Amino acid sequence: MPCPLRIVVIGFGPVGARLCEDLLPAVRDGAVALTVIGAESHAPYNRVLIAELAAARADRDGIVLHDPAESVTAGARVVLGVRVTRIDRAGRHVELDTGEKLAYDRLVLATGARANVPTLAGLERPRYDEAALIRAGSGVVGADPELPAGVTVLRDLADADRVRAAVEARERIIVLGAGVLGLEFALLAADAGADVSVLHHGPTPMPRNLDRGAGTVLARVLRARAITVYAHSRAEAIAFHTDEQGSRTFDAVVTADGNYVRGDLLVLSCGVGARTELATLSGLRAGAGIVVDENLRSWTDEDVYAIGDCAHVVPRTSENEELPRLPGAPSGLIGPGWRQADWLAARLAAQATGSAHLEPAPGERDAVVMLKGEDVDVVAVGDVDIDIWDAPSGDPASHRHVAQWADPQHGRYVKMVTRGGVLDAFACVGMPRTAAELTQLYDRRGELPSDRSLLLRLDGAQDAASGADAFAPAATVCSCNGVSVQRITESIAAGNDTVSCLGRDTRAGTGCGGCKPRLTELLERFAVATA
């Protein structure tokens, strides 16, 4: 009997856990000897829902994605609370901070990303270039920077516990950054009774996803929810106060225009950066992440793969190899990471059994981004930063056309960008049914109706009579996991009568959580239909 393929996975977050789960059939069959190493001592959990945990809208059990005992029972080895400090590519083994060495035939890096620490006076921003890593030594690999008292990120369970205490005490919380995750937390914390401010340097929130119109409407919605928004405020420094024991604690953010924004807790929400230090120190090429080709294989070493937030997918061409700075970046979203894990598991299992695996790796369009908040509906995808009055230029077939509608007083806005009649990008605020229909059209590359105003009726009094059907059997409910209405209906018919049960059976709702309202509506529709 041939020896099993030794696969070592570094990282037991959402994407690493998904890969592990998908490889278990090959482990049970004896084709794969799997070892998974996680730096945290907990079972893998959904980091996208950390904000809900911090605002007491979820509990720890509700965000767990995989039970490590299931992997151990199947025959995998799961090592938790341990960091990998070195990859020896010549010897094909990894070294742990316990001193143990683990040999591999295939190595998968699923190390994820860490929260960015901005450049501010009063904050020490760590560097992860090769020279800095060599000076710092192995202790910095996989570790997070230590932040001053009263300053935190919101990335793991310890962060959530720290922030939750401030929310429950109704303290003054400042969120630095106006991206989707920071705003989701701000909304949740404000609803829980905390005094919340959002400080960002741009004119409108979510600048990577929304145009000026959508961002302006969203800012009004945030203020209506009692969130103080400081736009055009570039943070320059952090001020501290010192207690009687001589301990320094956060006191305020100092901005470039001299503003002094006081608070009890500062939550840094300034994006994330791939954890690439292991790859860098082992000589693997890294850019915005660990550089891999379309098959998720390292440019540098054919036995090494990377998936998820740490993977920078770039076609390996002679032109790209000469570039000092490679195009693109990791998506930063859980859905694409899961699809990479599913595909790579099938490829590795095929390698282990000697069978063919010819399907290409999943290509990704721009992912749909949703801001989840009670009575706050924001959905966007693609580049919507185009003026409605821009004159056509160049090839008519490639020209983008814009349809736009706004009702700022009532917090509603939609902008649709098409190319050849097909939806290329959109931004939608305060119009959930329109957003659902546009998401479907984007996913299936469908043409918009020639009269774009028909889509506006979905959120009006006539929505029930609309020809659009967001609950058609083939319609996608969960974009993160690619789950259809039909699959959900079958699961409900089999006795899964709660959102949690549906998640365990189909994985729907276990990603970003944006589909949970639709899952609830499907449950209600099924109950009415069978009553």
Side-chain angles (χ1 to χ4, degrees):
M1 182 176 179
C3 294
L5 185 72
R6 298 170 300 177
I7 301 175
V8 172
V9 180
I10 303 177
F12 203 36
V15 175
R18 180 67 156 255
L19 177 71
C20 174
E21 198 172 69
D22 289 344
L23 283 171
L24 292 186
V27 173
R28 295 188 186 98
D29 292 343
V32 167
L34 176 65
T35 301
V36 188
I37 306 156
E40 293 184 85
S41 58
H42 316 282
Y45 54 91
N46 190 344
R47 295 186 190 278
V48 179
L49 302 181
I50 281 290
E52 296 187 22
L53 186 64
R57 290 292 188 89
D59 56 34
R60 289 197 178 193
D61 291 342
I63 67 172
V64 170
L65 292 171
H66 176 71
D67 183 359
E70 180 184 343
S71 296
V72 173
T73 301
R77 183 185 178 193
V78 179
V79 184
L80 299 180
V82 173
R83 291 186 299 113
V84 176
T85 58
R86 181 171 178 264
I87 299 171
D88 184 338
R89 294 197 294 114
R92 296 216 295 184
H93 68 259
V94 300
E95 298 179 9
L96 311 184
D97 60 5
T98 59
E100 184 180 2
K101 296 181 180 181
L102 298 174
Y104 66 82
D105 299 309
R106 302 290 184 272
L107 178 65
V108 182
L109 298 172
T111 49
R114 59 167 54 83
N116 286 334
V117 176
T119 303
L120 297 175
L123 275 184
E124 182 178 348
R125 183 179 185 181
R127 294 176 55 188
Y128 298 101
D129 58 273
E130 185 175 10
L133 291 171
I134 291 172
R135 287 195 301 271
S138 62
V140 74
V141 176
D144 292 322
E146 185 173 342
L147 297 171
V151 181
T152 187
V153 296
L154 191 50
R155 191 70 182 167
D156 60 26
L157 295 178
D159 299 330
D161 290 341
R162 189 179 305 113
V163 174
R164 186 168 183 163
V167 171
E168 291 177 344
R170 300 194 173 187
E171 294 183 347
R172 299 169 300 170
I173 298 174
I174 300 172
V175 178
L176 182 59
V180 61
L181 296 180
L183 293 183
E184 283 183 357
F185 166 68
L187 286 162
L188 290 166
D191 288 346
D195 180 352
V196 182
S197 300
V198 173
L199 192 152
H200 64 103
H201 66 260
T204 56
M206 290 181 62
R208 293 180 59 184
N209 312 108
L210 304 180
D211 67 325
R212 179 173 174 269
T216 300
V217 173
L218 174 57
R220 293 188 181 189
V221 172
L222 295 173
R223 292 186 175 100
R225 296 289 288 271
I227 296 172
T228 304
V229 180
Y230 294 90
H232 298 289
S233 294
R234 185 176 294 276
E236 285 197 338
I238 292 178
F240 298 89
H241 65 260
T242 305
D243 62 20
E244 295 177 355
Q245 287 73 40
S247 299
R248 292 198 320 158
T249 304
F250 167 74
D251 184 62
V253 177
V254 182
T255 65
D257 56 2
N259 203 359
Y260 200 84
V261 184
R262 291 185 178 275
D264 301 301
L265 180 69
L266 174 63
V267 179
L268 304 175
S269 186
C270 305
V272 298
R275 294 183 184 269
T276 60
E277 55 268 29
L278 267 174
T280 299
L281 287 172
S282 63
L284 297 172
R285 179 157 182 180
I290 301 161
V291 179
V292 294
D293 62 19
E294 301 98 321
N295 291 322
L296 307 176
R297 175 179 281 174
S298 166
W299 278 21
T300 313
D301 189 327
E302 64 179 12
D303 294 324
V304 179
Y305 296 80
I307 54 176
D309 284 352
C310 70
H312 184 178
V313 181
V314 186
R316 189 175 184 183
T317 64
S318 56
E319 292 81 5
N320 282 341
E321 286 181 336
E322 297 299 321
L323 294 175
R325 186 181 183 89
L326 295 171
S331 73
L333 299 171
I334 197 168
W338 277 346
R339 288 187 282 276
Q340 289 176 349
D342 292 342
W343 182 88
L344 184 58
R347 180 182 178 91
L348 292 175
Q351 290 179 9
T353 58
S355 57
H357 180 246
L358 302 177
E359 287 192 17
E364 295 289 344
R365 299 177 76 195
D366 289 335
V368 176
V369 175
M370 290 181 284
L371 172 63
K372 305 182 299 295
E374 191 171 332
D375 299 322
V376 179
D377 298 284
V378 180
V379 183
V381 64
D383 179 13
V384 293
D385 195 16
I386 176 175
D387 192 273
I388 191 171
W389 304 115
D390 282 354
S393 61
D395 181 6
S398 65
H399 180 66
R400 300 196 302 164
H401 297 271
V402 180
Q404 187 174 9
W405 181 83
D407 180 10
Q409 181 183 356
H410 299 99
R412 302 170 72 181
Y413 178 92
V414 62
K415 184 176 188 178
M416 298 165 275
V417 183
T418 57
R419 201 187 302 266
V422 176
L423 192 62
D424 193 56
F426 73 87
C428 196
V429 181
M431 303 177 69
R433 292 186 179 275
T434 300
E437 175 66 7
L438 290 173
T439 300
Q440 287 186 64
L441 288 167
Y442 178 80
D443 286 342
R444 64 175 184 250
R445 294 172 170 81
E447 286 196 26
L448 266 64
S450 56
D451 182 359
R452 308 290 197 256
S453 68
L454 291 174
L455 292 165
L456 304 178
R457 300 177 186 174
L458 296 173
D459 284 291
Q462 303 177 49
D463 62 356
S466 169
D469 187 1
F471 297 94
T476 299
V477 177
C478 177
S479 298
C480 293
N481 288 290
V483 184
S484 68
V485 168
Q486 180 173 341
R487 177 71 182 91
I488 295 299
T489 304
E490 291 169 351
S491 181
I492 297 172
N496 295 298
D497 56 359
T498 67
V499 171
S500 296
C501 289
L502 289 174
R504 285 191 291 271
D505 184 45
T506 70
R507 289 175 169 166
T510 62
C512 72
C515 63
K516 287 183 177 180
R518 290 185 71 196
L519 294 176
T520 300
E521 189 167 350
L522 279 168
L523 286 165
E524 293 170 350
R525 285 173 173 237
F526 188 87
V528 170
T530 56

